[in-house]
Amino acid sequence: MNVISLFYTAFAYVAIAIFLVGFLSRIIKYAKTPSPLNITLTPGPTTRAGAVYRVVQEVGVFKSLFYSNRIIWLGGYIMHLGLALVLIKHLRFFFTPAPASLAWITTFEAYAGFIFFVPLIFLFLLRLITDRTFYISLLTDYIILVLLMLIAATGILTKYYVRTDIIGVKEYIMGIVSFSPTAMPMDIIFITHFTLVMLLLIYFPFSKLMHAGGIFFSPTRTQVDEPREVRHVNPWAVKG
């Protein structure tokens, strides 16, 4: 392997390690964070099954966002749908041969990148032109959107305009997964795309993107609305 391949192989392992350790440590922190008082967002479910159904609605259709802002919901929901299609499509790079169950995704493959990319532009512009959204936006919000847009754009370029060696890309990815690294395809667009994805993996555990895991530990969504049936006592107040 050449120097570039060695560098990017090491870079990939470091990025994946940071992502896995960072993501799991954040999840463990969420799980261990005490929530002694009932702070359910009303009207809330009165049973545990209802609380599970509420979380499923939040994850599946972004229910809260739908009722608070239909325009952001539309852009965000289509963007997440495109992201899901892109991630499923990329699974074929991790299996040899690719599972037959992934074959159906080829039906939507031609549109996945654009379904992901266009809503990102929409959400980015929305933050700039809507006063209320602009006021509450932080620099990190724009960084995440720009990073995702660049990943989507370079991915679209490799597929439609500057086609890269897909066989070589799959061999390189499989080499990383199987801990038998091979030479990296020397395609500048692919290298840029790969670099941006690795940067995203490194940044993910330290960003708002952790809402992907944090939603399952949000007490306002996961608690049962039972303050009149169950007496909740803050253990720290008892110790005091």
Side-chain angles (χ1 to χ4, degrees):
M1 285 197 298
N2 55 37
V3 175
I4 295 178
S5 296
L6 287 173
F7 171 79
Y8 272 98
T9 300
F11 182 37
Y13 284 127
V14 170
I16 294 170
I18 291 175
F19 171 75
L20 292 177
V21 173
F23 188 89
L24 290 176
S25 63
R26 290 291 296 272
I27 292 298
I28 293 172
K29 182 179 180 180
Y30 292 152
K32 289 185 175 180
T33 299
S35 53
L37 301 180
N38 191 295
I39 55 174
T40 308
L41 186 65
T42 57
T46 56
T47 63
R48 177 51 57 191
V52 172
Y53 180 62
R54 185 182 207 182
V55 173
V56 170
Q57 287 181 304
E58 292 293 340
V59 174
V61 297
F62 307 171
K63 181 181 176 182
S64 297
L65 183 59
F66 177 79
Y67 284 111
S68 64
N69 191 312
R70 302 289 172 84
I71 295 177
I72 295 178
W73 174 86
L74 182 63
Y77 196 78
I78 296 176
M79 184 271 287
H80 281 83
L81 182 63
L83 175 61
L85 289 173
V86 168
L87 292 177
I88 294 173
K89 185 184 74 171
H90 279 69
L91 285 178
R92 63 183 177 178
F93 289 107
F94 296 89
F95 299 97
T96 301
S101 57
L102 294 177
W104 66 272
I105 197 63
T106 56
T107 306
F108 308 99
E109 184 180 13
Y111 314 108
F114 293 103
I115 294 174
F116 180 48
F117 183 51
V118 174
L120 284 170
I121 298 175
F122 172 74
L123 293 172
F124 183 83
L125 294 176
L126 203 62
R127 286 190 178 276
L128 293 176
I129 64 178
T130 305
D131 291 343
R132 181 174 179 274
T133 309
F134 178 77
Y135 180 75
I136 63 175
S137 295
L138 302 174
L139 177 61
T140 53
D141 297 322
Y142 296 104
I143 291 175
I144 292 171
L145 286 173
V146 169
L147 183 56
L148 291 174
M149 283 192 291
L150 290 174
I151 290 173
T154 51
I156 291 172
L157 282 175
T158 59
K159 181 171 179 58
Y160 296 102
Y161 304 103
V162 191
R163 298 184 70 86
T164 190
D165 178 11
I166 295 298
I167 302 299
V169 170
K170 181 161 186 171
E171 290 177 351
Y172 178 67
I173 299 299
M174 287 300 300
I176 292 176
V177 173
S178 62
F179 297 100
S180 302
T182 60
M184 184 182 200
M186 292 295 106
D187 183 308
I188 186 62
I189 300 299
F190 167 70
I191 293 176
T192 303
H193 182 69
F194 187 79
T195 302
L196 293 169
V197 172
M198 292 303 108
L199 290 176
L200 177 65
L201 288 180
I202 294 172
Y203 185 54
F204 195 105
F206 311 101
S207 70
K208 291 182 178 179
L209 297 173
M210 276 303 300
H211 70 268
I215 183 63
F216 298 99
F217 300 92
S218 173
T220 59
R221 303 295 193 280
T222 60
Q223 288 183 339
V224 177
D225 189 13
E226 54 181 14
R228 293 178 178 81
E229 292 78 14
V230 179
R231 183 169 182 260
H232 296 270
V233 179
N234 188 334
W236 306 310
V238 173
K239 290 180 181 178

